[in-house]
Amino acid sequence: MCVSPPRHVAVLAALWPYVTPQRVEATAAVARLLPAARGRCGLYVLTFTDGHLYVGRSGDVVARFAAHRRADADLVEMHFWRFAKAGLDSAERSAVHALREAGFTVRNHAGELDDLLGAAEQQRWLASAPADEPGDGVRPQRPRTRAGRPVTDPRVAAVLPAVRRYLARTVPAPRRTEHARWTVTAGARERLLTVTVHAMETLFVAVEADRTVLTVNLDRATIERYQGALDRFGAAFFRTASYRVRPGVVAVSVEGARNLMRLLDVPGVVEAARRLNLDLMRTGPALHRRGHAFELADLLLDPAAEAATDDPFTAGLACDAAGDIPRAEAFFARAAAAGNPEAAFRLGELWAERGDGDQAEPWYRQAAAGG
């Protein structure tokens, strides 16, 4: 019996009559159905239980389909068209346009980033000065089926200020793009926390023996222009990282949350992280949405207000110990203005830590004058 193809497949057949798609059910052994010898580069269309579609492209559709199965519980099937890599961009745009013109709802395609963050806003953000606040965008509504799990590991709590600064400085509109374009997960054992943009882990925190090591992925072409600044920083280890989803990546590792705070002040680091993260967001949606820890994101994007304190110096010491340098600096400045010489000394130390002796000297002088 001849079975008619699904209507969306028939629509795309008009675009590519010379390419025969291959159907793969959500539960199928995809690697066996799509052997590497026949080629795994091409365009694919996912079908979901509500009839919505997703158009994607990949150099390795087997790996990409596996990621979609983990992320999307309502996935039904995939149709795959083999294409040379050079033709994927054009094929994807044509498919999205044709399907929408035919009345289909196409979700999670690459162009959707423009709905969250317009093209002009993306360019302004790339050129803007780093900010330590995540903005005022509206966060996504968490699924009703998700029961929040409190984050109780004190090792995770110790790195939150540094990760919060990373998100605010290097992820475009982190509140608006949460869950749709980036996710965060808290693990156990060696891997404490991971930030993933699209399909790449762009920041992760691991415990090695008694050390906490934080690794940030950066755009290699950008950071190579600032190699001298990284060398002067002297507290980072960097290596070339290999990712299929996006080549040209350098991984930079530091020990301790405090050093990540300092790393984000090194010239070129924020610029290189922004370039990589925006490129990944433009490539496609977050592929680990089912594992996104909304309760951890709460701590990063909506931290609880702190109780007022009459002793800003003590509050500054607590922030300094947690690696939250910007807030420690603000508290020390308040205490120094009130005449606390030790707070002035701490401010001098913070500037000296950044390698800026000119800014450190007046604080040291104030500390000395105060005894």
Side-chain angles (χ1 to χ4, degrees), residues 23 58 90 119 171 244 271 326:
R23 177 180 177 272
S58 177
S90 175
V171 173
R244 183 174 296 170
E271 181 182 344

Side-chain angles (χ1 to χ4, degrees), residues 275-290:
R275 170 51 61 192
L276 175 64
N277 289 344
L278 186 57
D279 283 354
L280 290 168
M281 285 191 176
R282 287 170 170 169
T283 299
L287 294 187
H288 301 290
R289 295 185 298 279
R290 290 179 67 185

Side-chain angles (χ1 to χ4, degrees), residues 20-176:
T20 301
Q22 188 164 352
R23 177 180 177 272
V24 180
E25 293 185 0
T27 57
V30 63
R32 188 175 71 245
L33 291 172
L34 301 175
R38 292 189 59 195
R40 291 173 172 173
C41 179
L43 181 132
Y44 61 92
V45 177
L46 305 179
T47 305
F48 300 92
T49 54
D50 58 6
H52 292 182
L53 304 174
Y54 169 84
V55 179
R57 55 190 171 90
S58 177
D60 184 355
V61 73
V62 170
R64 185 63 60 83
F65 188 55
H68 278 294
R69 283 199 293 203
R70 291 192 297 269
D72 300 302
D74 59 342
L75 179 60
V76 175
E77 64 182 8
M78 172 181 74
H79 285 82
F80 172 61
W81 288 257
R82 287 182 177 84
F83 282 98
K85 188 174 182 180
L88 288 180
D89 285 348
S90 175
E92 182 183 31
R93 287 193 298 269
S94 298
V96 170
H97 178 74
L99 291 172
R100 287 192 161 182
E101 285 292 306
F104 290 98
T105 299
V106 182
R107 70 189 196 187
N108 298 330
H109 62 88
E112 193 177 70
L113 177 60
D114 292 345
D115 297 333
L116 297 170
L117 197 71
E121 188 178 359
Q122 294 172 32
Q123 293 304 316
R124 288 196 301 271
W125 172 78
L126 273 177
S128 66
D132 284 326
E133 297 298 328
D136 58 358
V138 178
R139 294 177 61 193
Q141 184 176 2
R142 67 189 68 195
R144 295 179 180 178
T145 56
R146 284 292 303 275
R149 296 187 299 273
V151 179
T152 58
D153 191 327
R155 299 173 302 175
V156 173
V159 303
L160 289 180
V163 178
R164 187 180 301 127
R165 191 182 209 194
Y166 167 83
L167 289 173
R169 290 192 164 203
T170 72
V171 173
R175 293 172 62 85
R176 272 186 278 161

Side-chain angles (χ1 to χ4, degrees), residues 217-224 246 248-250 272-273 275-276 279:
N217 282 325
L218 306 174
D219 175 62
R220 182 173 61 201
T222 302
I223 200 60
E224 283 179 349
R246 206 283 195 172
V249 176
V250 170
R275 170 51 61 192
L276 175 64
D279 283 354

Side-chain angles (χ1 to χ4, degrees), residues 258-303:
R258 186 184 188 87
N259 275 329
L260 178 60
M261 286 283 198
R262 296 176 57 213
L263 179 68
L264 292 171
D265 281 327
V266 173
V269 169
V270 166
E271 181 182 344
R274 285 182 171 189
R275 170 51 61 192
L276 175 64
N277 289 344
L278 186 57
D279 283 354
L280 290 168
M281 285 191 176
R282 287 170 170 169
T283 299
L287 294 187
H288 301 290
R289 295 185 298 279
R290 290 179 67 185
H292 180 58
F294 280 94
E295 63 284 348
L296 178 54
D298 290 342
L299 300 176
L300 294 168
L301 300 176
D302 295 316

